[in-house]
Amino acid sequence: MMMDVDKTFVMIKPDAVRRNLIGKIITRFEEAGFKLINLKLITLSRELASKHYAEHKGKPFYNDLLAFITSGPSIAMLLQGEDVIKKVRKIVGATNPEEAQSGTIRGDFKEIPLKSVTENLIHASDSESSAKREIYLFFENNLE
Ligand code: IDP
Ligand code: MG
């Protein structure tokens, strides 16, 4: 099965959806020149969440992470463009919003005071292999 490597999986997490930040976040990716090629609003089941975050199973934050990510709707999307995986990770910013630079999504939209590292607004695939896996999990039909 071949896949275009210039695609990545991004998910606007439930905290950002609750705070009405969907439009502002998508705007950042459009202004960076990336194409939105698929999008859906989805409340993750416990089963899907545990597949998505399988690499974190057993970590101290794992249970909180699953409770949070299933706590309300998320926006799952597929972005396409040159070097999109790496560039999108830069636009997203550091995992811990406290460490995220201004100009990044996590840096600019973090809640002050910070609630937790878990509620960090957005997910983006971190490598070609995770992009492939995550696209398959959420948008099976877009794997080619
Ligand atoms: P990433 O989302 O920047 O790729 P990962 O290390 O893959 O970061 O962690 C997945 C998610 O788990 C993070 O986005 C965040 O929601 C949560 N998380 C990661 N590290 C911590 C932590 O130390 N405390 C609480 N939650 C964390
Ligand atoms: Mg990650």
Side-chain angles (χ1 to χ4, degrees), residues 1-65:
M1 198 186 321
M2 278 292 290
M3 191 200 130
D4 184 346
V5 294
D6 287 329
K7 284 181 191 167
T8 197
F9 174 73
V10 172
M11 189 166 70
I12 302 175
K13 293 179 176 180
D15 55 336
V17 173
R18 279 193 279 275
R19 291 174 54 213
N20 291 352
L21 293 171
I22 297 169
K24 285 184 174 145
I25 290 173
I26 291 177
T27 296
R28 299 231 168 171
F29 298 120
E30 291 192 309
E31 286 183 343
F34 297 116
K35 290 293 172 202
L36 188 53
I37 58 169
N38 208 338
L39 175 150
K40 64 183 169 189
L41 187 140
I42 178 177
T43 300
L44 272 67
S45 65
R46 180 109 190 156
E47 190 191 353
L48 179 56
S50 62
K51 284 183 185 159
H52 177 62
Y53 281 129
E55 66 175 302
H56 298 298
K57 193 165 187 210
K59 293 185 184 170
F61 58 84
Y62 179 76
N63 285 331
D64 284 350
L65 177 59

Side-chain angles (χ1 to χ4, degrees), residues 13 53 55-56 61 65 89 95 106 117-118 120 123:
K13 293 179 176 180
Y53 281 129
E55 66 175 302
H56 298 298
F61 58 84
L65 177 59
R89 288 285 293 190
T95 302
R106 285 168 172 164
V117 176
T118 308
N120 63 358
H123 166 84

